Amino acid sequence: MKTELRHYTVAKVLAGFVYNEFEGKGLFGLAGDLVIQPEYQRHYIYGDGKHDVAVIDSLLKGYPLGLIYFVNTNSDVGAQLEVLDGQQRITSVGRFVTGKFAIKVAGKHQTFSSLPVEKQQLILDSELLVYVCAGVEAEIKEWFQTINMVGVPLNAQELRNAIYSGPFVTAAKAEFSRSNNALQQKWAAYVKGVVNRQEVLAVALDWVASGHGQSIDAYMAAHRHDTSIAELQTYFTSVIDWIDSVFIASPDKAMQGLDWDRLYRTYHHKAYNPATVDADVQALLSDLAVTNKRGIYEYVLAGKTNPQLLDVRIFSAATKREAYARQTAAAKPADKSNCPLCAAGTNNNATRIYALKEMEADHVTAWSKGGATMLDNCEMLCVPHNRSKGNR
Ligand SMILES: [Zn+2]
């Protein structure tokens, strides 16, 4: 790979700068000869009033912005150069110069045009140190991975977008990586991730890829040159729509980031009554004994047979009735309390027979020690005794 060091002024790089608010991208520079944000790059993430302001502060203090890398695509048509590294910095300067945000100077908000002319000139004349490199795609991408290990590193999906760049990534990002996609709000109830850091896209890819027994990488490699993302889109939508159809209440935050793909694959062939499901979910969500709220959804989907998902032991009403009947039947003829702890005591309660509603179920062998939720591990205690035992 060949590299060449060039010096550009900010003014030259920003000639013809366009910022696309909708896509969150700085588009072009060098009078159309530079693509600031190639398709595989992350969206603009410096627009937070800190990173972007820091870039302008540096320029005003005469500090260098660090090395910037362009790649020479040797393209016959359109732009020759693409920003390989430095698009966040260039976009920040471009947005400032075109009046998209203000900075504070001596406590006052200043836009580019309200700065004194000499300050404006200082920014425009600032020199950017640019390595222009040329080489085959594989070399450039390998290098791209290396240089991104410094600074704000690309996350796994941002790297994959770079490695498998092409029409598939472009189409997938248009659907899954734009915060202003109205569907994102709905998806966010179930999918966890920062949209413009490609984390929602990563989830969508993971879901569809796992259906083929593939990794995200393998799936992206196989579909790299596809112009359609129909399968990705259809599968993701199927999962989301299924969740919506089974769980009808407005989503609890416990639903966010569950492995919905696995739940969908396991349970979507089963029929559910959404009203019943909702009643179960709401009851469990408000049940203080359920310590793992995130387990509620699978617990209900699976037919409420596996309380381990809830990190709590729940004895069924039938089990409690049966344990109560057994203890009471044994206690009465012996003239002892049907609460074994009261029966072992010496006060008036030693012979007291409690009603079922005055008792609670306890585990003879604690749940945390592997005790089963079955009749022979169920012991009914009077409420005061059960509560005084606390969480064992
Ligand atoms: Zn008792």
Side-chain angles (χ1 to χ4, degrees):
M1 189 168 60
K2 286 185 299 191
T3 57
E4 178 197 340
L5 187 61
R6 292 189 198 169
H7 302 261
Y8 290 103
T9 60
V10 162
K12 183 151 193 203
V13 168
L14 290 183
F17 176 82
V18 178
Y19 178 71
N20 184 322
E21 207 78 53
F22 184 67
E23 292 191 64
K25 280 183 174 186
L27 299 177
F28 300 105
L30 289 175
D33 207 29
L34 175 71
V35 177
I36 292 176
Q37 190 169 49
E39 58 184 79
Y40 53 81
Q41 292 263 26
R42 72 182 107 193
H43 287 181
Y44 181 57
I45 56 175
Y46 269 27
D48 55 6
K50 281 183 191 156
H51 285 86
D52 47 1
V53 167
V55 167
I56 305 307
D57 282 345
S58 295
L59 290 181
L60 286 171
K61 287 173 180 150
Y63 300 159
L65 287 191
L67 272 179
I68 284 172
Y69 295 88
F70 292 172
V71 57
N72 192 338
T73 59
N74 290 311
S75 157
D76 294 333
V77 287
Q80 286 280 310
L81 301 170
E82 282 184 0
V83 177
L84 192 59
D85 190 57
Q87 55 118 336
Q88 303 290 332
R89 286 166 284 169
I90 293 172
T91 302
S92 295
V93 182
R95 289 181 76 237
F96 183 68
V97 169
T98 53
K100 298 290 192 292
F101 68 96
I103 57 165
K104 259 189 177 172
V105 180
K108 279 171 65 182
H109 284 285
Q110 297 277 10
T111 58
F112 180 74
S113 58
S114 69
L115 283 176
V117 177
E118 65 273 14
K119 296 271 187 196
Q120 295 182 12
Q121 209 55 48
L122 179 65
I123 290 174
L124 293 174
D125 291 343
S126 298
E127 198 169 74
L128 301 178
L129 217 50
V130 179
Y131 266 112
V132 178
C133 45
V136 299
E137 192 178 319
E139 289 179 314
I140 291 167
K141 284 183 177 155
E142 192 180 324
W143 199 38
F144 181 66
Q145 290 200 46
T146 310
I147 61 177
N148 268 285
M149 285 169 190
V150 295
V152 182
L154 297 187
N155 64 30
Q157 187 56 39
E158 287 169 337
L159 269 177
R160 284 191 288 262
N161 287 358
I163 293 163
Y164 307 107
S165 71
F168 182 83
V169 163
T170 306
K173 284 182 66 176
E175 175 71 9
F176 291 101
S177 310
R178 287 208 329 247
S179 323
N180 50 21
N181 178 345
L183 290 168
Q184 290 286 0
Q185 208 181 344
K186 171 177 167 178
W187 298 343
Y190 312 128
V191 176
K192 200 171 180 175
V194 181
V195 176
N196 64 6
R197 295 299 308 269
Q198 314 301 323
E199 290 170 352
V200 173
L201 173 59
V203 169
L205 285 165
D206 181 43
W207 289 1
V208 74
S210 73
H212 296 282
Q214 286 179 320
S215 64
I216 297 179
D217 277 273
Y219 188 86
M220 289 183 79
H223 293 273
R224 180 169 181 187
H225 301 293
D226 293 2
T227 48
S228 163
I229 57 161
E231 188 193 37
L232 172 69
Q233 212 163 10
T234 306
Y235 186 71
F236 186 80
T237 307
S238 308
V239 177
I240 298 289
D241 288 351
W242 173 77
I243 305 170
D244 268 349
S245 70
V246 177
F247 300 101
I248 51 177
S250 78
D252 187 89
K253 66 177 187 298
M255 299 177 92
Q256 197 193 40
L258 293 182
D259 189 356
W260 287 111
D261 174 49
R262 184 180 61 76
L263 296 177
Y264 172 77
R265 288 184 204 284
T266 312
Y267 300 107
H268 81 277
H269 292 300
K270 282 182 72 174
Y272 294 98
N273 177 340
T276 313
V277 167
D278 188 48
D280 287 342
V281 168
Q282 299 312 322
L284 289 162
L285 279 172
S286 57
D287 187 339
L288 296 176
V290 175
T291 57
N292 180 24
K293 303 286 185 208
R294 293 168 63 75
I296 289 173
Y297 302 91
E298 182 161 21
Y299 175 73
V300 172
L301 288 169
K304 298 193 283 182
T305 50
N306 186 2
Q308 294 194 341
L309 291 166
L310 305 175
D311 282 350
V312 74
R313 293 310 219 124
I314 295 177
F315 289 101
S316 70
T319 302
K320 288 188 224 172
R321 270 198 307 273
E322 214 174 323
Y324 173 82
R326 199 169 58 176
Q327 284 174 220
T328 307
K332 272 183 177 165
D335 197 24
K336 289 192 166 177
S337 172
N338 56 352
C339 166
L341 295 183
C342 287
T346 51
N347 65 18
N348 289 346
N349 285 340
T351 57
R352 178 168 169 185
I353 296 296
Y354 292 90
L356 176 58
K357 64 175 187 213
E358 297 172 293
M359 303 187 89
E360 291 176 340
D362 181 48
H363 302 81
V364 179
T365 303
W367 150 251
S368 57
K369 298 191 171 77
T373 309
M374 298 201 308
L375 181 61
D376 37 2
N377 195 38
C378 179
E379 182 175 62
M380 300 301 286
L381 298 178
C382 71
V383 171
H385 268 131
N386 189 52
R387 305 240 162 128
S388 71
K389 286 183 74 173
N391 274 335
R392 291 178 309 161

